[in-house]
Amino acid sequence: MTLEEFLIARRDAGRSLLVPYVTGGIRPGWTDVVRAYVDAGADAVEVGFPFSDPMLDGVTIQEASDRAIAGGATVAGILAELAALDVAVPLFAMTYSNLVFQRSGAAFCAALRASGLRGLIVPDSPLEEVGELAGAAAAEGLDLALMAAPSSSPARLREIAGRSRGFVYAVTRMGTTGEGGGTSPAVARLGRDLKGLTDRPVLFGFGVSDPARAAELAGHADGVVVASALMRRLLDGTGPRELGEYVASIRRALDHREPDEQYAPLPRHRRRPDRQDQVGPLPRG
Amino acid sequence: MTLEEFLIARRDAGRSLLVPYVTGGIRPGWTDVVRAYVDAGADAVEVGFPFSDPMLDGVTIQEASDRAIAGGATVAGILAELAALDVAVPLFAMTYSNLVFQRSGAAFCAALRASGLRGLIVPDSPLEEVGELAGAAAAEGLDLALMAAPSSSPARLREIAGRSRGFVYAVTRMGTTGEGGGTSPAVARLGRDLKGLTDRPVLFGFGVSDPARAAELAGHADGVVVASALMRRLLDGTGPRELGEYVASIRRALDHREPDEQYAPLPRHRRRPDRQDQVGPLPRG
Amino acid sequence: MSEHALMSDPGTTGRFGDYGGRYVPESLIPACHEIEAAFRDAWADPGFRDRLTTTLTVYAGRPTPLTPARRLSRELGITLLLKREDLAHTGSHKINNVVGQALLAERMGRRRLLAETGAGQHGVATATAAALLGLEATVFMGERDIERQELNVRRMNVLGAEVVPVTTGSRTLKDACNEAMRHWVASVDDSYYCVGSVMGPHPYPWMVREFQRVIGEEARVQCGAELPAGVPDYVVACVGGGSNAAGTFAGFVGTTARLVGVEAEGGAAATSGRAGVLHGYRSLVLQDEHGQVREAHSIAAGLDYPGIGPEHAHLRDGGRARYATVTDDEVVRALVRLARTEGILAALESSHALAWVIRAAETGAVAPGSTVMLTLSGRGDKDIAAIKELP
Amino acid sequence: MSEHALMSDPGTTGRFGDYGGRYVPESLIPACHEIEAAFRDAWADPGFRDRLTTTLTVYAGRPTPLTPARRLSRELGITLLLKREDLAHTGSHKINNVVGQALLAERMGRRRLLAETGAGQHGVATATAAALLGLEATVFMGERDIERQELNVRRMNVLGAEVVPVTTGSRTLKDACNEAMRHWVASVDDSYYCVGSVMGPHPYPWMVREFQRVIGEEARVQCGAELPAGVPDYVVACVGGGSNAAGTFAGFVGTTARLVGVEAEGGAAATSGRAGVLHGYRSLVLQDEHGQVREAHSIAAGLDYPGIGPEHAHLRDGGRARYATVTDDEVVRALVRLARTEGILAALESSHALAWVIRAAETGAVAPGSTVMLTLSGRGDKDIAAIKELP
Ligand SMILES: Cc1ncc(COP(=O)(O)O)c(C=O)c1O
Ligand SMILES: Cc1ncc(COP(=O)(O)O)c(C=O)c1O
């Protein structure tokens, strides 16, 4: 199953999707964090490959990246650890273009696939730069997710929704990753617009800082990505078990959220058949 | 007797003229220094009226001036002390134009005369600026001495020799007051030239630092002005008595100097009669 | 690619061969499009061009002279002409670019300029242009650079700009760029990001080169009047991000002049960099084997940048320009030598170009009798404290 | 005296009315005569004039622009034009004079320039001109100024000049002048004393004014193009020794423009000075009741001078120019205000002129709608450290 198939299946089962994030190599034994996330009810896990100049990240993920790099984290090292990890939900990579294009997009995608990852997201490769990489990802059966922003025009949203794979990453605000920030009508609108354009899961990210906020945002889409709130705790010394408990608390909030009055459920698009021929299990290890 | 008459009389008596200098107000009781000079055989005494910006003075006289000013020395104060002083040789003032022209050259000269001084020398009033002052000095019966320099052209030397009163102050070098420096052929030439132009005494100044040097220079003219060598000692704490002894040692060197081979005595000019009508005792106090 | 196509309009993709592009988050894409459209519109508008030219002339002191370095030329056996950007207002070529961008920001209705700065030269220039037009200015500057360049921080404050210390990463220029981008994402509606060199996402590398083109165009005309051949044998400029070099080369790319860009040995992206993506564009970037961007090190704060403008990467690949490096030591010696032969205190950045010319003339790599046009990108007053020992 | 005779050749006596002259030791008289003769000869020689003009143009960045201060003008309700000497090489009008004198020294066969300096601006300019012509430079600078202006000392050293600390008197500019004169006496055969303002013995006040005349002449032509009336209502410049003011006034003395020189309250020789003789000339001098010269005090090191050029004293006496003072406080506020309205960091010295214009416009002393041409004598980068608190 691809990342996208996996997420759609869960969503279609009536579940709000929860994707926690961890910076690869942030501490020894960091893969325990991935396991704890999964055990706590994650539907997928986003693994950050730390880059020295993370343009779209706020202070927390910057610090996490710096710490991982200082600790010797490399793409190859993180991939080796992930290859040894066996978890029940798909993992995907988040990183910046410079790491992706070290050799080539194809080489990078092949390495991800060889380590069992199911997708990737590259915040500084927008639509206009993503062509080659999208081909390479597709060739490796990886889902390359694209980001949509409150500033994206309707035409761009349509193109993003159409070209994104796995899910669409909708950023809740004009700004960097980081905790805090309320829900604005614009966010609700972005969720609604995207869901009107695609049947792919739409996940909100940026500022999903606690269970209540997660539940609120999930009301406008199919789920959330939680990153800085977890990394802040991890940087402050919180261990995998407690991180897992925190993810579980978000899981509970998502599972029991009150029906949101503002959120009028939209008719589901028919699943698009265009990539069915690519489906199949990825090799591991 | 004017300053000039006094000096000519002494010179004509075969004496090498010795003019020691003291900065007015340099220490309490500084007039004792004048007395000590006179007792030690001075033929006249040059009294400096300290100015904040003594352009032609080297470090020693600058320091003496600064000390005197810091101690409260003023033109009026120095004149008052001089008025109370009764010595057997003429005194004359040395100062800069700014003090002379505070009110006017005439007022300054009148004040000098009222305190018994017989002349003045103003290093920063050269021929081209001296006109008004020369008239004022003459009107008060004071001798305004001019300076001649190694750089002065023959034409200028002639004019300086002609317009100087009291004596001609020949500077031994292109530079400021201060000790040290050898005799150059140029100095000998300057002395000879001036003596060829005037019957007025020609005194060398600048760098007359010890008895031997005084004797040597006196061989090229009619005598010497000694300033920095004395002020250096005074600033270092030497008292009037010892200063007097030092002046006496110069006196002895002048009196017993060997005939200088380089110095071919020149025919004396006839004394010029042009100022005889001005001769007469100056009032004192 | 024909010579003529070099240094022309890179089109909507902003590509210079393999380099350039627009590697920024989706949130910034609309802003980049808007700026590109506004710039295309302004650049085609004689009214805008007039206003820019007038401001550069009446306010910033253009045209800057082309000074024959007579005594140094004699010593080196060549003819060396100096394009005097050190005489431009604020003391470097940076003003050409910020005046252009500030006028554009005003035209676009923006109230605030954002900028990154390393040594502070671009920050001062931005603060200056903002004051001139009554805009606000926020300048991001690494905490370490703030300590090292206190005077420029103070200049910006006096000019009314806010200087925001950047405490992330190496706390120098590259982090200030990241932080400016991050801040831009968050304030894109009222703020205009005034990029300081031929870097950043399209249209910046192209637009900044166009705003700096005035250097090369003036110099080309001045060389025509000064040199018997009309065109110099060599055209040399230092390269940090590469804006003064790009503006200079733009005036000579269609001539026979050999173009030479000179980098700091410790910040030589063109020489030791690998292809990569940084700060929104693809180019040659100093990075370690794992793809982490390295900090550049140079005695010239303005060359402490690990990337190079994408167009330079392209010029290098095609061989139209060559890129060389010089050491800190050569640079200081060149600065002092120019000061003592010509009475001109060049910036340490500019002294890189000079150091290369001196070495090349002395080794014969530049043949005796050659004519060399060198862009003196800025004045060295800011650098005096950094010159610890006189050679 | 007719208007026309003002600011013309003061003849062989170097008198401007009661002021000027040549109050120097006999040892220096031949040198003064020689310089006067050489200057008269050079000034009448088209070859010399050409070389001077070319050097100022190709090397020093002349003509400097006349910049309309648009935003400040609007605030003040007047039209304010700034003559941008801050854009001249080395950052102030001082270069105009030293290039002239250095060319003269070279013509006279001298190998070395002597100069006094306070803040270091004239010292740097002298060191610059010396380097340009391959002459040596020895600069006298008060020990206290050396401490306060370390960066300029370093600039001079880099330029190859020898900086001699002056430890006498107040250890500031006036003592440096004395020391330069003393040294000149001792080295008059091979050294040329390059005086830094319209002061010193004849022919300096006249010669320096003539070398600075280029400011006023350019501004006059530029005003003609810029202003409907052709001539501004006011022409304003700061006055230390008075060279930038003299050069400026020289271009307008024959017009209807009102001439205003602005001094520092703590160094206001034209306002609080008495006639006296200092540094070789007769003029208005700050002095105590006993005739001892007072130290001037100003936040602007370049105005810390107790005298004023003799021609200014004469212009004042005749009423052709008036002289005003401003306080340190007003000056700092003016500097910051110009920085924030126009993006120009003026020197503290120049900010005196500006402070007067601001006050006069705000009190109505300069009527609304008036046109004011102000000489911005130099750039303020050197002064940033002195501005402790932003108003
Ligand atoms: C004087 C000077 N020259 C050169 C540079 C390098 O920039 P660029 O390569 O964009 O011209 C700088 C940057 O601060 C600078 O200040
Ligand atoms: C910038 C500037 N303006 C003015 C002055 C004052 O000199 P002047 O009155 O001779 O123009 C100085 C002297 O150092 C200066 O540096």
Side-chain angles (χ1 to χ4, degrees):
Chain A
M1 243 198 285
T2 63
L3 172 61
E4 184 166 313
E5 286 163 345
F6 187 94
L7 292 178
I8 287 177
R10 291 223 162 174
R11 189 224 22 220
D12 288 353
R15 186 171 162 104
S16 266
L17 301 174
L18 172 56
V19 179
Y21 164 95
V22 66
T23 299
I26 187 169
R27 37 163 283 181
W30 62 275
T31 50
D32 293 346
V33 174
V34 178
R35 263 192 221 96
Y37 287 169
V38 176
D39 293 346
D43 299 298
V45 177
E46 180 179 354
V47 178
F49 288 70
F51 178 50
S52 52
D53 296 79
M55 179 198 289
L56 195 62
D57 285 304
V59 283
T60 304
I61 310 248
Q62 284 172 47
E63 195 183 328
S65 301
D66 288 348
R67 194 182 288 187
I69 294 169
T74 62
V75 170
I78 292 168
L79 285 176
E81 290 193 77
L82 289 174
L85 185 69
D86 196 5
V87 288
V89 304
L91 309 180
F92 65 90
M94 192 289 289
T95 194
Y96 285 83
S97 300
N98 197 55
L99 296 187
V100 173
F101 296 117
Q102 277 298 300
R103 281 178 295 160
S104 68
F108 188 79
C109 289
L112 290 191
R113 177 194 157 105
S115 298
L117 280 89
R118 301 300 182 94
L120 73 162
I121 186 157
V122 186
D124 64 345
S125 274
L127 276 181
E128 22 280 279
E129 306 297 351
V130 91
E132 180 208 330
L133 183 60
E140 296 290 343
L142 297 180
D143 284 336
L144 173 63
L146 299 181
M147 286 177 146
S151 61
S152 306
S153 66
R156 281 188 80 82
L157 282 186
R158 187 166 309 113
E159 198 177 345
I160 290 163
R163 291 175 63 184
S164 194
R165 294 291 176 270
F167 62 96
V168 180
Y169 193 125
V171 305
T172 59
R173 61 168 177 239
M174 296 298 286
T176 56
T177 57
E179 302 173 67
T183 328
S184 70
V187 172
R189 195 172 343 104
L190 180 61
R192 183 163 27 228
D193 288 352
L194 285 169
K195 291 208 56 67
L197 290 165
T198 181
D199 183 43
R200 289 197 181 88
V202 174
L203 304 185
F204 273 123
F206 288 29
V208 187
S209 44
D210 56 45
R213 175 103 176 107
E216 185 191 358
L217 283 167
H220 301 291
D222 299 312
V224 294
V225 177
V226 185
S228 296
L230 293 165
M231 288 302 99
R232 178 77 271 144
R233 286 173 172 76
L234 204 159
L235 289 167
D236 289 348
T238 305
R241 199 178 48 81
E242 285 161 288
L243 282 177
E245 281 166 17
Y246 191 68
V247 169
S249 73
I250 299 175
R251 178 75 267 164
R252 280 190 302 275
L254 291 178
D255 289 348
H256 303 104
R257 75 188 153 83
E258 307 283 303
D260 190 326
E261 292 168 17
Q262 295 183 290
Y263 175 54
L266 288 160
R268 288 264 145 84
H269 277 215
R270 197 171 48 80
R271 273 200 62 202
R272 289 169 60 180
D274 53 348
R275 287 174 69 244
Q276 283 180 336
D277 50 346
Q278 286 176 30
V279 175
L282 287 164
R284 280 257 140 164
Chain B
M1 243 197 283
T2 63
L3 172 63
E4 183 166 316
E5 288 163 345
F6 188 94
L7 292 179
I8 287 176
R10 290 223 164 174
R11 186 223 25 219
D12 288 352
R15 188 171 162 102
S16 265
L17 301 174
L18 171 57
V19 179
Y21 165 94
V22 66
T23 298
I26 187 170
R27 39 163 280 181
W30 63 272
T31 49
D32 291 348
V33 175
V34 178
R35 260 191 223 96
Y37 287 170
V38 176
D39 292 347
D43 298 298
V45 177
E46 180 179 355
V47 179
F49 288 69
F51 178 49
S52 52
D53 297 78
M55 179 197 291
L56 195 63
D57 284 305
V59 284
T60 303
I61 309 250
Q62 286 171 46
E63 195 183 330
S65 300
D66 288 348
R67 194 182 288 187
I69 293 169
T74 62
V75 171
I78 293 167
L79 285 176
E81 290 192 77
L82 288 175
L85 186 70
D86 197 6
V87 289
V89 303
L91 310 179
F92 65 91
M94 190 291 289
T95 193
Y96 285 85
S97 299
N98 196 55
L99 295 187
V100 173
F101 295 118
Q102 276 299 298
R103 280 178 296 161
S104 68
F108 188 80
C109 289
L112 291 192
R113 180 193 154 107
S115 299
L117 280 87
R118 302 299 182 95
L120 74 163
I121 186 158
V122 186
D124 63 347
S125 274
L127 275 182
E128 22 280 277
E129 305 298 350
V130 91
E132 181 209 329
L133 183 61
E140 295 289 342
L142 297 179
D143 284 337
L144 174 63
L146 298 180
M147 287 178 145
S151 61
S152 307
S153 66
R156 279 190 81 81
L157 283 187
R158 186 166 310 110
E159 199 177 343
I160 290 164
R163 291 175 62 185
S164 194
R165 294 291 176 271
F167 63 96
V168 179
Y169 193 125
V171 304
T172 58
R173 60 168 178 238
M174 296 299 284
T176 56
T177 58
E179 303 174 66
T183 327
S184 69
V187 173
R189 194 170 349 98
L190 179 62
R192 179 160 32 225
D193 287 352
L194 284 169
K195 291 206 58 64
L197 290 164
T198 180
D199 183 43
R200 291 195 180 88
V202 174
L203 303 185
F204 273 123
F206 290 26
V208 188
S209 44
D210 58 45
R213 174 99 176 110
E216 186 190 357
L217 283 167
H220 301 292
D222 297 313
V224 293
V225 177
V226 185
S228 297
L230 293 165
M231 288 302 99
R232 178 79 270 143
R233 285 173 172 76
L234 205 160
L235 288 169
D236 288 349
T238 306
R241 200 180 46 82
E242 283 161 288
L243 282 176
E245 280 167 16
Y246 191 68
V247 170
S249 74
I250 300 175
R251 177 77 269 161
R252 281 192 300 278
L254 291 177
D255 291 347
H256 302 105
R257 74 189 154 81
E258 306 284 302
D260 189 328
E261 291 171 18
Q262 295 182 290
Y263 176 54
L266 288 158
R268 287 263 145 84
H269 276 215
R270 194 172 50 81
R271 272 200 63 201
R272 289 169 60 180
D274 52 351
R275 285 174 71 247
Q276 281 181 338
D277 50 348
Q278 287 175 28
V279 176
L282 287 164
R284 279 254 142 167
Chain C
M1 182 179 280
S2 82
E3 292 276 305
H4 201 69
L6 281 175
M7 305 202 88
S8 55
D9 182 341
T12 54
T13 61
R15 286 273 158 186
F16 305 95
D18 283 347
Y19 308 102
R22 191 175 265 162
Y23 292 86
V24 291
E26 173 64 19
S27 327
L28 289 177
I29 290 289
C32 290
H33 282 299
E34 197 190 349
I35 292 170
E36 183 183 346
F39 175 64
R40 287 188 183 280
D41 183 65
W43 212 226
D45 173 2
F48 180 86
R49 298 286 282 249
D50 264 14
R51 180 137 182 250
L52 176 60
T53 302
T54 302
T55 308
L56 291 178
T57 306
V58 161
Y59 177 74
R62 303 214 70 87
T64 57
L66 186 73
T67 304
R70 292 193 208 287
R71 299 181 63 226
L72 185 55
S73 290
R74 213 171 303 132
E75 288 181 14
L76 297 175
I78 61 173
T79 297
L80 176 61
L81 302 172
L82 306 174
K83 180 62 177 161
R84 299 288 302 282
E85 297 301 299
D86 61 310
L87 293 179
H89 184 48
T90 71
S92 83
H93 69 291
K94 299 279 177 192
I95 194 73
N96 305 327
N97 170 40
V98 296
V99 165
Q101 289 198 54
L103 287 173
L104 187 67
E106 186 191 52
R107 186 180 169 101
M108 293 172 70
R110 296 294 193 275
R111 295 299 312 150
R112 197 157 60 116
L113 302 182
L114 305 178
E116 84 292 341
T117 199
Q121 294 303 104
H122 174 58
V124 168
T126 303
T128 295
L132 176 67
L133 300 182
L135 305 172
E136 288 165 41
T138 304
V139 179
F140 295 87
M141 189 167 182
E143 215 174 36
R144 263 170 60 195
D145 289 333
I146 286 183
E147 282 159 25
R148 291 190 288 187
Q149 307 284 338
E150 204 194 317
L151 230 56
N152 269 345
V153 174
R154 200 121 185 96
R155 283 169 83 191
M156 289 184 263
N157 288 334
V158 172
L159 287 159
E162 181 195 11
V163 179
V164 179
V166 173
T167 57
T168 53
S170 55
R171 292 174 293 132
T172 60
L173 176 58
K174 92 180 168 59
D175 310 285
C177 289
N178 293 327
E179 207 53 39
M181 291 260 186
R182 290 178 189 125
H183 197 87
W184 188 30
V185 175
S187 64
V188 76
D189 280 344
D190 71 333
S191 297
Y192 175 96
Y193 181 19
C194 182
V195 174
S197 191
V198 285
M199 48 177 254
H202 182 55
Y204 285 103
W206 167 50
M207 177 169 68
V208 175
R209 179 249 281 165
E210 288 299 284
F211 284 139
Q212 293 293 4
R213 174 186 283 281
V214 65
I215 304 174
E217 284 182 351
E218 283 177 12
R220 173 88 179 77
V221 172
Q222 291 165 321
C223 282
E226 185 75 26
L227 296 174
V231 171
D233 299 320
Y234 292 87
V235 167
V236 187
C238 70
V239 176
S243 66
N244 88 83
T248 303
F249 292 175
F252 292 92
V253 71
T255 73
T256 55
R258 282 177 250 193
L259 310 179
V260 183
V262 186
E263 293 185 291
E265 202 185 40
T271 317
S272 337
R274 281 189 292 118
V277 176
L278 180 68
H279 299 145
Y281 65 103
R282 185 177 148 87
S283 185
L284 299 168
V285 177
L286 285 185
Q287 44 191 320
D288 69 15
E289 54 181 317
H290 304 296
Q292 306 301 347
V293 177
R294 278 178 21 210
E295 237 185 290
H297 286 292
S298 158
I299 191 172
L303 303 188
D304 263 355
Y305 182 68
I308 185 178
E311 194 163 27
H312 286 293
H314 181 53
L315 289 171
R316 185 203 70 161
D317 282 6
R320 179 61 191 95
R322 56 177 284 216
Y323 296 82
T325 66
V326 291
T327 65
D328 285 356
D329 228 56
E330 286 177 296
V331 166
V332 172
R333 270 186 282 125
L335 186 155
V336 173
R337 187 156 174 192
L338 185 72
R340 296 190 171 177
T341 49
E342 306 294 339
I344 298 173
L345 277 177
L348 280 169
E349 289 81 5
S350 326
S351 300
H352 282 68
L354 197 65
W356 180 83
V357 171
I358 289 172
R359 189 212 291 157
E362 290 184 342
T363 59
V366 160
S370 298
T371 53
V372 179
M373 188 332 266
L374 182 153
T375 294
L376 206 83
S377 56
R379 63 169 125 97
D381 305 57
K382 69 184 178 61
D383 298 318
I384 290 303
I387 301 171
K388 297 282 177 256
E389 275 186 33
L390 292 177
Chain D
M1 184 179 279
S2 80
E3 293 277 303
H4 200 72
L6 281 174
M7 306 203 88
S8 56
D9 181 340
T12 54
T13 62
R15 287 272 160 186
F16 306 95
D18 282 348
Y19 307 103
R22 192 174 265 162
Y23 293 87
V24 291
E26 172 63 20
S27 325
L28 289 178
I29 290 288
C32 291
H33 281 299
E34 195 189 351
I35 292 169
E36 182 184 347
F39 175 65
R40 287 188 183 281
D41 182 65
W43 212 226
D45 171 3
F48 181 86
R49 299 287 281 249
D50 264 14
R51 180 138 181 248
L52 176 59
T53 301
T54 302
T55 308
L56 291 178
T57 306
V58 160
Y59 177 74
R62 301 212 72 86
T64 57
L66 185 73
T67 304
R70 293 193 207 287
R71 299 182 63 226
L72 185 55
S73 290
R74 214 172 303 133
E75 289 182 13
L76 297 176
I78 60 172
T79 297
L80 176 60
L81 302 171
L82 306 173
K83 180 63 177 162
R84 300 288 302 282
E85 296 303 298
D86 61 309
L87 294 179
H89 184 48
T90 73
S92 83
H93 69 292
K94 297 280 177 192
I95 193 75
N96 305 328
N97 171 41
V98 296
V99 165
Q101 289 197 53
L103 287 173
L104 187 67
E106 186 191 53
R107 189 179 167 102
M108 293 171 69
R110 296 294 193 273
R111 294 300 311 150
R112 197 157 60 118
L113 302 182
L114 305 178
E116 83 292 342
T117 199
Q121 294 304 102
H122 175 59
V124 168
T126 303
T128 296
L132 176 67
L133 300 182
L135 306 172
E136 289 165 41
T138 304
V139 180
F140 295 87
M141 190 167 183
E143 215 175 36
R144 264 171 58 196
D145 290 333
I146 287 183
E147 281 158 25
R148 293 189 288 185
Q149 309 282 339
E150 204 194 316
L151 230 55
N152 269 345
V153 174
R154 199 121 186 98
R155 283 168 84 192
M156 290 185 262
N157 287 335
V158 172
L159 287 159
E162 182 194 12
V163 179
V164 180
V166 174
T167 58
T168 54
S170 55
R171 293 174 293 132
T172 60
L173 175 58
K174 90 180 169 58
D175 311 284
C177 289
N178 292 328
E179 206 54 39
M181 291 260 186
R182 290 177 190 126
H183 198 87
W184 188 30
V185 175
S187 62
V188 76
D189 280 344
D190 71 333
S191 298
Y192 175 96
Y193 182 19
C194 182
V195 174
S197 190
V198 283
M199 47 177 254
H202 182 55
Y204 285 104
W206 167 52
M207 176 168 69
V208 175
R209 179 249 282 166
E210 289 299 285
F211 285 139
Q212 292 293 4
R213 174 186 282 280
V214 66
I215 304 174
E217 284 182 350
E218 283 177 11
R220 173 91 180 78
V221 173
Q222 290 165 323
C223 282
E226 185 74 27
L227 296 175
V231 172
D233 299 320
Y234 293 87
V235 167
V236 188
C238 70
V239 176
S243 66
N244 88 84
T248 303
F249 293 176
F252 292 92
V253 72
T255 75
T256 55
R258 281 177 251 192
L259 310 180
V260 183
V262 186
E263 292 186 292
E265 203 185 41
T271 317
S272 335
R274 282 189 292 118
V277 175
L278 180 67
H279 299 147
Y281 64 103
R282 184 176 148 87
S283 186
L284 298 167
V285 177
L286 284 185
Q287 45 190 319
D288 68 16
E289 54 181 317
H290 305 296
Q292 305 301 348
V293 177
R294 278 179 20 214
E295 237 185 290
H297 286 291
S298 158
I299 191 171
L303 303 188
D304 263 354
Y305 182 67
I308 186 178
E311 193 161 28
H312 286 293
H314 181 53
L315 289 171
R316 185 203 72 159
D317 282 6
R320 179 62 191 96
R322 55 177 283 219
Y323 296 83
T325 65
V326 290
T327 66
D328 284 358
D329 229 54
E330 289 178 293
V331 166
V332 171
R333 270 185 283 124
L335 185 155
V336 174
R337 187 157 175 191
L338 185 72
R340 295 191 172 177
T341 49
E342 306 295 339
I344 298 173
L345 278 177
L348 280 168
E349 289 81 4
S350 326
S351 299
H352 281 70
L354 197 65
W356 180 84
V357 171
I358 289 173
R359 189 212 290 156
E362 291 185 341
T363 58
V366 160
S370 298
T371 53
V372 178
M373 184 339 261
L374 183 154
T375 294
L376 206 84
S377 56
R379 63 169 126 97
D381 305 58
K382 68 182 180 58
D383 297 319
I384 288 303
I387 301 171
K388 296 283 177 255
E389 275 185 33
L390 291 178

